[in-house]
Amino acid sequence: EWNVVDSDKTAVLTFNPCATSEFACNNGMCLHRYFRCNQESNCDNGEDEEFCSQIIVPNGYNSMVPLASTVATLKLKYTILLLNLLNVDVVTSTFYVQFRTNVQWIDDRLTYKNLQPKENLVSLEDWKQIWIPDFVMKNTEDTAHTTTNPDEHHSIVKLSMLNESEFTSMYSDQYYNDFYYKGSNVLISKTNTYSYDF
């Protein structure tokens, strides 16, 4: 281990033949980048599973605003799947339904790291940092907002790369080589199940 100048950190210096698309274990073994943060320890001491937060939020990021001022249009893909018609009240002209929603968007203000080739499940701690669409259901009794739904923390948020070959390899503040993806190259997907009276 080496002490880092002007810091209380230490770093392991490894001499290895790893390519820029590979993660270097402390013992010099090279792993494909998809072994980095894949929820399985592949290095002898498990360093490939350390510091695995997926979303990098830049300074000045405003999670209350959907876009940077330089972007003209935000595109959302929103789908609704009706699951159950739970009740119909002909007297009050209301019906109680259960439905599933999925919304997809891109936030090019963000940077992502160490993503897997398929969908990447995002922790509540991570996705609570970013802008999330809020849908208002005006014809519900309380004009419900999706972001204030009591079950909002059960949301399933996933990340998907649009182009797996577009990444940058560099060393992080923890002195591990990580693999970074631009926000414009990553699709965010959020799925919820709701039950409301309409």
Side-chain angles (χ1 to χ4, degrees):
E1 287 191 349
W2 293 68
N3 292 321
V4 181
V5 176
D6 298 327
S7 171
D8 58 356
K9 297 179 180 178
T10 61
V12 176
L13 179 64
T14 62
F15 296 94
N16 59 73
C18 301
T20 56
S21 61
E22 295 177 315
F23 177 80
C25 298
N26 291 343
N27 64 3
M29 183 172 69
C30 302
L31 300 175
H32 190 281
R33 71 179 190 273
Y34 291 149
F35 286 102
R36 177 76 169 111
C37 296
N38 69 342
Q39 300 184 2
E40 295 181 16
S41 294
N42 298 284
C43 296
D44 288 347
N45 295 316
E47 57 268 23
D48 56 305
E49 295 303 312
E50 295 181 354
F51 309 108
C52 284
S53 179
Q54 297 168 306
I55 301 176
I56 301 172
V57 178
N59 292 332
Y61 180 90
N62 187 347
S63 63
M64 303 300 292
V65 178
L67 288 170
S69 59
T70 55
V71 181
T73 305
L74 172 66
K75 295 181 179 179
L76 296 174
K77 180 181 179 182
Y78 190 68
T79 58
I80 300 176
L81 175 65
L82 181 63
L83 300 176
N84 286 299
L85 180 59
L86 301 172
N87 186 50
V88 176
D89 190 326
V90 294
V91 176
T92 60
S93 298
T94 60
F95 56 93
Y96 186 47
V97 294
Q98 182 184 53
F99 57 97
R100 181 173 297 131
T101 66
N102 177 265
V103 58
Q104 298 177 349
W105 73 99
I106 289 172
D107 191 335
D108 60 4
R109 299 171 294 175
L110 300 171
T111 302
Y112 305 91
K113 67 176 185 175
N114 303 323
L115 299 182
Q116 299 301 305
K118 297 183 179 179
E119 293 179 324
N120 298 262
L121 190 63
V122 183
S123 69
L124 176 65
E125 180 183 1
D126 267 1
W127 70 256
K128 279 293 186 181
Q129 303 178 75
I130 68 174
W131 177 80
I132 296 290
D134 181 25
F135 294 94
V136 182
M137 302 178 206
K138 292 185 175 181
N139 54 340
T140 57
E141 183 179 359
D142 299 319
T143 313
H145 288 246
T146 56
T147 54
T148 57
N149 185 285
D151 293 325
E152 179 70 0
H153 62 284
H154 292 307
S155 302
I156 299 172
V157 179
K158 296 179 180 180
L159 305 172
S160 302
M161 289 180 284
L162 300 177
N163 187 335
E164 296 178 20
S165 64
E166 291 185 5
F167 70 94
T168 302
S169 175
M170 66 180 72
Y171 281 81
S172 66
D173 292 342
Q174 288 77 33
Y175 306 100
Y176 286 139
N177 57 319
D178 286 319
F179 308 97
Y180 296 85
Y181 301 84
K182 293 181 179 180
S184 57
N185 186 34
V186 176
L187 186 69
I188 308 170
S189 171
K190 178 174 176 283
T191 302
N192 293 85
T193 300
Y194 300 109
S195 297
Y196 282 114
D197 272 310
F198 288 89

